[in-house]
Amino acid sequence: LLFFFSSTRGLRSIPSLSQFNRLKYLWLNNNKIQDLTFLFKNYCLSELYLNNNELTDISGALKHLCSLKILFLHNNELRKLDKTVKELKGMISLHTLNLFQNPLAYDPDYRLYVIHILPSVQLLDRKLVTQRERESAFHLYNPERSLLVQSIAFGKRVNTPLGSPVGSRRCIQPARRLIMPSVWKHSHKGHLLCSFCRVPFENPEDAVLVRAVTRSLTEFSSVDWNKVATGQERRLQNKAEPLEKLTVQFR
């Protein structure tokens, strides 16, 4: 069985559909459904239409539907943005999602938060997800990583210190200042040095961040061999001329 229609009938509950274990397309829109426990074993579903119902919570009801590509949940009573979106986090094939006309859609960070948690979604609330929105979501919910990406390799160089606060109120952890162990110090060339006795960072993420920054520095040195004396010339002159070396660093 590939299709199952039961829309616009005012249904409040649906019997278990576990016997239809190959069901792929299910229309239950325009009813009065409040509970989704009937979908417990329908792992093959790829399209699910539950719009225009009375759903208030989908926690634990949909996360096993990893094959879903299209999901309509608009015009329900879903209020908890975090719980609703994280329920869909494992749906790596989900490309079309409707959540508009739910109370959760009035959250000021709603759209960017959904894009951040569900990167596979390409069409959200009937609007294409743009590359600019993906970048905004990345900067908003990964502030430290965003600064790191902009400061290394061929990314844009930024002057913002790593400990500066970036993001919005939805970021769970406040931006922190990097706390380095006392044994870490800088050489006269700006390189990080460490004694043989390694003292762990107070926060493991700080160690990862410092390691990433130090590894991002690339140094190239070159010598003009036309100006370097040969072994015979050095013996005749009886002195060693210092090499003229050109060093360039890239970050």
Side-chain angles (χ1 to χ4, degrees):
L1 180 65
L2 297 179
F3 300 89
F4 188 94
F5 296 89
S6 186
S7 57
T8 321
R9 295 188 179 183
L11 299 176
R12 292 186 177 275
S13 63
I14 304 291
S16 174
L17 299 178
S18 58
Q19 59 180 317
F20 308 115
N21 54 9
R22 295 190 178 183
L23 184 65
K24 288 191 175 183
Y25 310 100
L26 178 59
W27 280 265
L28 290 172
N29 51 297
N30 300 303
N31 284 292
K32 297 182 179 180
I33 299 172
Q34 299 178 357
D35 186 5
L36 297 178
T37 54
F38 58 88
L39 294 172
F40 184 63
K41 293 186 178 180
N42 300 104
Y43 304 105
C44 294
L45 274 174
S46 62
E47 296 185 16
L48 179 57
Y49 303 87
L50 291 168
N51 49 295
N52 302 302
N53 276 287
E54 298 179 359
L55 295 170
T56 58
D57 188 7
I58 61 170
S59 299
L62 299 178
K63 61 183 178 182
H64 61 287
L65 304 179
C66 299
S67 299
L68 269 185
K69 298 179 180 179
I70 298 176
L71 177 59
F72 283 9
L73 286 169
H74 56 278
N75 197 18
N76 277 281
E77 296 297 327
L78 300 173
R79 299 180 179 277
K80 298 179 180 180
L81 179 59
D82 289 344
K83 292 181 67 175
T84 300
V85 177
K86 288 180 180 178
E87 177 71 15
L88 314 178
K89 191 173 182 180
M91 300 178 183
I92 58 176
S93 300
L94 187 65
H95 60 72
T96 301
L97 174 64
N98 282 353
L99 288 172
F100 63 93
Q101 291 183 346
N102 278 285
L104 57 76
Y106 294 101
D107 187 293
D109 298 329
Y110 155 72
R111 186 171 176 87
L112 290 183
Y113 184 67
V114 175
I115 293 172
H116 167 66
I117 298 295
L118 306 175
S120 65
V121 172
Q122 301 173 20
L123 189 66
L124 175 60
D125 294 345
R126 300 175 179 173
K127 290 176 59 179
L128 284 173
V129 176
T130 65
Q131 182 60 31
R132 185 171 183 178
E133 287 178 318
R134 295 191 188 280
E135 292 173 357
S136 298
F138 176 73
H139 296 323
L140 187 60
Y141 297 107
N142 292 283
E144 291 185 356
R145 188 178 176 189
S146 173
L147 287 174
L148 184 61
V149 168
Q150 294 180 62
S151 64
I152 64 176
F154 298 99
K156 181 181 179 182
R157 185 71 179 174
V158 295
N159 296 320
T160 308
L162 290 174
S164 62
V166 180
S168 74
R169 60 181 181 79
R170 188 171 294 282
C171 294
I172 299 174
Q173 295 182 347
R176 64 182 186 278
R177 188 173 297 280
L178 185 64
I179 302 175
M180 299 174 63
S182 58
V183 296
W184 285 90
K185 58 184 180 179
H186 291 271
S187 69
H188 67 283
K189 293 184 179 181
H191 299 296
L192 285 172
L193 300 177
C194 180
S195 66
F196 290 101
C197 179
R198 295 178 180 268
V199 178
F201 283 81
E202 294 183 10
N203 191 317
E205 293 183 4
D206 290 341
V208 176
L209 188 60
V210 168
R211 181 60 177 166
V213 172
T214 54
R215 291 181 65 181
S216 69
L217 187 64
T218 303
E219 183 177 284
F220 295 94
S221 298
S222 61
V223 175
D224 187 352
W225 292 101
N226 293 324
K227 297 181 181 181
V228 178
T230 64
Q232 183 178 4
E233 290 173 342
R234 287 198 299 272
R235 287 193 296 272
L236 292 175
Q237 295 175 359
N238 198 23
K239 62 179 182 179
E241 294 281 340
L243 295 178
E244 184 179 348
K245 183 172 66 172
L246 176 64
T247 300
V248 181
Q249 292 181 345
F250 298 90
R251 183 179 289 277

